[in-house]
Amino acid sequence: MIEEQILETGKDTREMTINMGPQHPSTHGVLRLELVLDGEMVKQCRPNIGYLHRCFEKYAESVEDYAKVIPYTDRMDYVSAMNQEHGYVIALERLLEVEVPERVEYMRVIVAELQRIASHLLGIGTFGLDLGAFTPFLYCFTEREKILSIFEKATGARLLYNYMAVGGLMRDIPKDFKSDTAEFVKTFRPKIKELNDLLSYNKIFIDRTAHIGILPKEVALNYAASGPVLRGSGVEWDLRKNDPYSIYDRFDFEIPVGKGEVGTLGDCWDRYIVRVREMEQSLRIIEQALDGMPDEGDVKEGIPKRIRPKEGEIYTRTETPRGELGYYIISDKGASPYRVKARAPSFVHLSMLPAISKGALIADMVAIVGSIDIVLGEVDR
């Protein structure tokens, strides 16, 4: 009967096209996935973007001053704003050939790694929530709030900071910053073990994530994946090690990679566990930075009075919680950038969703989207 329908209509009537989003909670934002289904199996997935219109690049080109772009970088990946700022100020410092004070470099690394942990806690907590695990979400957010409280003392804000400046920082850290950060490192390390016992090695969680959304190493490289998504496929690549910036070459830390421990190499569980283990490595970096940071120094002494880069162009890349963030800036000697382009990892990773979702079940799509940990402000710039 089905074969007769196909001959008459010229198409397989068993297929059904449905929309997942743009309001679906697992998308973590305004993303629409157009799914072609055969029963509950996904035959094709087409991501549709354009519901957010962040317009970062055009804003950056229209402001009166290079420094005024920094608040807009916060709003691309709004859950790792410090890392967004870090990449932008590094690009301008290289274009201007500005020397950054030693103390500022250490402070930047500390807040960047705290932000990495906070971002991963959000990604891990909401990933568990997507799959029905509510308690780990509360555990993760409790720890994330401690980091945000440290940031609030230092910057006055809990989400969007405008803290890093070209050549320095907007303000010095408070007196209890080092002690608060050291206390967080001490108390958070055992919490990672609790998270692993509660979620990472939970049988139901493993059943929902192992062998699902497999991203082979070759496919990851062909799509230019980076960050935990690339490392989850077994590729040991981290810009902090492989192409160091700031003072990351001074620190001793490891690059966690997926190994297919409970499923297939490059599956959702591998991408998840890389983020968990990265938090441990960030703690190591923070400890070393706290020990090495000079106690004295003006965080504003390296900030130029006027930012007028010479004519030219620059591309810099940094390792954010979601992967390689690149800024390409063209200067025409003016007070504002002639052109700005951001290479956002979330946009790259969303583009490979059709490749890793083919053959999945509808229920698995929730896990796959959560495992690539996208932020729509980066996607729809």
Side-chain angles (χ1 to χ4, degrees):
M1 181 67 179
I2 293 172
E3 286 75 11
E4 291 174 5
Q5 289 177 352
I6 295 172
L7 288 172
E8 289 175 12
T9 62
K11 57 184 177 181
D12 191 340
T13 54
R14 291 174 297 178
E15 287 187 2
M16 179 172 62
T17 301
I18 67 167
N19 289 311
M20 180 176 168
Q23 286 82 29
H24 197 285
S26 83
T27 62
H28 302 175
V30 278
L31 170 67
R32 172 176 166 240
L33 298 179
E34 192 179 337
L35 303 179
V36 179
L37 305 176
D38 181 356
E40 289 191 32
M41 189 185 76
V42 177
K43 295 186 72 174
Q44 193 174 4
C45 169
R46 289 188 290 265
N48 284 270
I49 62 174
Y51 296 94
L52 193 59
H53 301 297
R54 185 65 73 188
C55 300
F56 165 73
E57 282 102 350
K58 286 304 164 190
Y59 272 129
E61 292 164 13
S62 63
V63 296
E64 301 170 358
D65 186 359
Y66 279 88
K68 291 181 180 178
V69 175
I70 296 172
Y72 292 107
T73 65
D74 286 343
R75 287 156 175 79
M76 279 199 301
D77 182 351
Y78 35 79
V79 297
S80 66
M82 289 291 192
N83 304 94
Q84 306 294 302
E85 295 176 16
H86 200 187
Y88 178 75
V89 296
I90 286 176
L92 276 181
E93 285 156 4
R94 291 181 183 174
L95 194 58
L96 290 163
E97 298 178 353
V98 169
E99 188 173 342
V100 180
E102 186 91 347
R103 185 163 179 262
V104 170
E105 291 283 24
Y106 276 96
M107 290 164 64
R108 284 180 178 180
V109 166
I110 292 169
V111 296
E113 293 308 312
L114 283 172
Q115 184 76 90
R116 192 180 311 277
I117 296 171
S119 176
H120 283 341
L121 284 171
L122 178 73
I124 290 165
T126 53
F127 185 45
L129 190 64
D130 292 343
L131 302 181
F134 186 70
T135 305
F137 173 79
L138 299 179
Y139 273 59
C140 289
F141 262 62
T142 298
E143 298 307 311
R144 180 173 175 264
E145 284 297 303
K146 296 175 184 176
I147 296 175
L148 300 190
S149 294
I150 293 172
F151 283 167
E152 186 177 19
K153 281 186 180 180
T155 71
R158 298 178 72 85
L159 187 69
L160 308 172
Y161 308 105
N162 189 23
Y163 185 54
M164 296 192 191
V166 178
L169 299 170
M170 291 295 187
R171 59 189 65 83
D172 206 342
I173 53 173
K175 292 180 180 179
D176 54 358
F177 178 86
K178 290 182 73 171
S179 59
D180 287 348
T181 305
E183 179 63 21
F184 170 77
V185 171
K186 179 182 175 182
T187 58
F188 181 61
R189 192 168 268 126
K191 298 291 183 181
I192 297 177
K193 184 183 183 304
E194 286 184 22
L195 178 66
N196 284 331
D197 293 340
L198 185 66
L199 184 65
S200 305
Y201 297 101
N202 181 292
K203 185 182 186 305
I204 299 172
F205 181 74
I206 290 174
D207 287 346
R208 288 296 310 275
T209 55
H211 307 291
I212 303 297
I214 299 165
L215 176 64
K217 180 166 84 171
E218 298 75 20
V219 176
L221 292 170
N222 286 340
Y223 272 93
S226 58
V229 173
L230 177 63
R231 293 190 283 275
S233 297
V235 180
E236 193 172 315
W237 178 264
D238 188 315
L239 293 175
R240 295 171 296 170
K241 279 273 193 185
N242 299 101
D243 188 10
Y245 55 94
S246 185
I247 53 170
Y248 276 105
D249 55 347
R250 303 183 190 181
F251 303 115
D252 178 34
F253 63 99
E254 297 169 8
I255 306 175
V257 295
K259 299 175 182 176
E261 295 168 52
V262 299
T264 307
L265 177 64
D267 59 17
C268 289
W269 192 88
D270 271 348
R271 289 191 285 277
Y272 159 85
I273 202 65
V274 162
R275 295 185 180 98
V276 174
R277 291 169 182 165
E278 274 189 10
M279 295 194 296
E280 297 173 344
Q281 300 307 313
S282 289
L283 293 178
R284 287 179 61 184
I285 294 171
I286 292 168
E287 283 179 323
Q288 294 170 63
L290 287 172
D291 290 339
M293 185 174 74
D295 293 325
E296 302 295 330
D298 183 4
V299 298
K300 294 187 176 182
E301 66 177 343
I303 300 176
K305 291 181 180 178
R306 192 177 74 157
I307 302 177
R308 280 287 181 97
K310 61 186 178 183
E311 189 173 345
E313 58 186 6
I314 190 78
Y315 178 79
T316 59
R317 54 185 188 168
T318 54
E319 188 74 31
T320 73
R322 261 149 284 285
E324 180 180 319
L325 172 67
Y327 285 105
Y328 176 58
I329 302 172
I330 300 178
S331 167
D332 62 354
K333 295 185 180 178
S336 59
Y338 174 70
R339 285 287 182 270
V340 174
K341 170 69 178 174
R343 186 265 187 207
S346 293
F347 182 84
V348 176
H349 296 156
L350 183 62
S351 69
M352 66 191 187
L353 194 60
I356 62 175
S357 59
K358 193 171 183 180
L361 300 176
I362 299 176
D364 294 336
M365 286 302 302
V366 179
I368 294 169
V369 173
S371 74
I372 61 175
D373 190 26
I374 56 173
V375 170
L376 267 296
E378 257 192 355
V379 173
D380 195 8
R381 296 183 310 284

